[in-house]
Amino acid sequence: MKDNEKEAIQCFFNAVEKLKECKIIRSETYLGNIAEFIVKDTNGVDLALSLRQEGYDGIYKTNKKVQVKSHFGKYGTNILFKYDKNEVNFDDLIVILGPHSNLKLIQNHEFETYIFEDFKKWVSCGDSGINYNKKNKTVSLAKKVLKKNREITESRKD
C-alpha cells in the first residue's frame, strides 16, 4: 500500500471517529446514519433509540412515523428498498440525496431532501412513477419520481 493510500484510509477513520463523537454516526452504516442525522436536524424528527427499530427510523412531533432512504453515489439510477404495502409501519418517506448523487435534480454540492407524505398513497397512485414489485416486495424510486415530488411540492407553495 502506498503512503498516500494509507494516509487517506487513516483520514477516513479519523473522520468516522469525529462523526461518532458528534453523535452523527450511531452504527456501522455510515451513510444511512448521516442521512438520518440530516433528517433529524432539518425536519425535527426524533430518531428511534433502537438502531434495530422495525419499519421506521423516527417520529415527527406530530407522531407520524418516518422512514429515511438515501443515495450518495455517482452511480445507480434508483433507490431500491424492501416494502410490503400490507405491513407498512411508516407514514412518510424522506429521501436524502448527497452532494454527488446522480439522482439530484440540481447538480451542486448541497444535499437535496424529498418528503413523500403518506407514502402508501404514492405507491398506490398509478402515475406516481414509483415501481412496486409485488413478487419481491420492493419499491424503486428513480429520478422521475423525485422530479414529480418536487413539482407537487412547488405547486403546494403557490
Side-chain angles (χ1 to χ4, degrees), residues 50-109:
S50 169
L51 296 176
R52 298 189 183 275
Q53 176 64 50
E54 284 285 324
Y56 64 95
D57 295 313
I59 300 177
Y60 283 119
K61 303 286 186 239
T62 59
N63 285 329
K64 287 176 74 177
K65 294 177 182 173
V66 176
Q67 179 70 14
V68 178
K69 295 296 176 190
S70 60
H71 188 275
F72 287 90
K74 292 182 179 183
Y75 307 102
T77 58
N78 63 2
I79 298 170
L80 180 70
F81 60 97
K82 288 284 186 191
Y83 180 85
D84 184 343
K85 62 183 180 181
N86 297 320
E87 298 178 13
V88 174
N89 291 330
F90 65 91
D91 302 299
D92 296 354
L93 173 72
I94 301 179
V95 174
I96 302 292
L97 302 181
H100 303 292
S101 172
N102 70 340
L103 295 179
K104 289 177 60 174
L105 298 178
I106 302 168
Q107 291 301 323
N108 56 26
H109 296 289

